[in-house]
Amino acid sequence: ASYTIFMSLLAPVYGVIVDKIGRYRSMVTATIISLSFYIAAILIFFFTQPTQGNVWLWVFGGLLLLGSTADKIRSIALSTSITLLILPENRAKANGIVGMVGGVSFILMAAFAGIAVGTLGIFLAIVISAIILLTVLVHLLTFKIVEPELNTNVNNNVNSFYKNDNRFLKLSVLKTFPGLIVLIFLGAFNDFIGGIFRALMDAYGIEMFGVEMWGILFGATGIGFILGGFLVTKFGVGSN
């Protein structure tokens, strides 16, 4: 629930950040932020050994939560980079390929995470995550993305969004973007089902079977990402 609340509050801000500083810098910044939070969590775990009822457990969990939400900046920047790198007529299929790659990575990382936590423990699992993030950061520094002139008026937009103007929330504005309302509905429904699943899993998941099996289960569900990406790649998203 905390993760979802964080994302709901910060998602508009993350979008403005990407629009303001650019996609490439956003990906680098997000990786540095996530890596910093994970390193802080590693230090907290190593020096305090947080346990149930200990305040350090909440600090430890909060750092991991912030690190994972900051990662969404990179996700926004990555998904919108398609508009820079691919011609309009091929963007839908390119997004499908990105979805397939995301599905493969989801399968690998979900299964790996479950097995790592179950066999190595949470400390080593987070250390490995930090090493992977460091690898991503090094890779990002090896190339550049040429971007158009950045939007300098986004501050005015975000001020209007949060203070004195609700035009962004009006249905008439959403209708100006074909398919956006349906996309919001599907995303909300998906998150609703996911929220129920997480609530049940947190309470009863470990009683059903071990962490390793949960990792394998999450990995198996990643097949849906691959299948969906394949269908979009093959057929596109429609003429409209």
Side-chain angles (χ1 to χ4, degrees), residues 153-239:
N153 298 318
V154 290
N155 282 334
N156 296 330
N157 292 340
V158 76
N159 287 335
S160 297
F161 181 84
Y162 281 112
K163 292 182 179 179
N164 55 11
D165 192 349
N166 67 347
R167 68 175 183 267
F168 291 98
L169 304 179
K170 290 181 179 179
L171 187 62
S172 58
V173 175
L174 298 180
K175 288 181 179 179
T176 61
F177 300 95
L180 182 58
I181 295 178
V182 176
L183 184 63
I184 292 174
F185 172 78
L186 292 174
F189 181 76
N190 181 71
D191 290 342
F192 174 72
I193 298 298
I196 295 176
F197 181 74
R198 287 192 187 111
L200 293 173
M201 184 186 69
D202 288 343
Y204 307 110
I206 302 301
E207 295 181 3
M208 297 171 62
F209 36 77
V211 178
E212 299 91 337
M213 185 57 68
W214 276 111
I216 295 173
L217 176 63
F218 279 127
T221 60
I223 296 174
F225 285 103
I226 298 176
L227 179 60
F230 171 77
L231 293 175
V232 173
T233 302
K234 185 173 179 62
F235 301 107
V237 293
S239 58

Side-chain angles (χ1 to χ4, degrees), residues 39-118:
I39 291 175
I42 290 171
L43 295 176
I44 290 293
F45 192 94
F46 184 79
F47 288 107
T48 67
Q49 293 295 314
T51 57
Q52 185 175 357
N54 189 328
V55 65
W56 290 112
L57 178 63
W58 293 98
V59 175
F60 174 74
L63 290 170
L64 294 179
L65 182 66
L66 291 172
S68 61
T69 54
D71 174 72
K72 293 303 177 182
I73 300 176
R74 186 171 65 249
S75 299
I76 295 173
L78 180 62
S79 61
T80 56
S81 294
I82 295 296
T83 58
L84 290 177
L85 304 175
I86 306 297
L87 294 175
E89 58 270 20
N90 295 323
R91 284 174 187 166
K93 294 183 178 181
N95 275 308
I97 294 174
V98 171
M100 292 176 63
V101 174
V104 172
S105 65
F106 183 85
I107 290 175
L108 295 176
M109 294 311 300
F112 170 77
I115 295 173
V117 172

Side-chain angles (χ1 to χ4, degrees), residues 24 28 32 135-144:
Y24 176 77
V28 173
I32 293 174
T135 305
V136 170
L137 179 61
V138 171
H139 176 251
L140 283 171
L141 297 177
T142 62
F143 64 90
K144 296 288 184 180

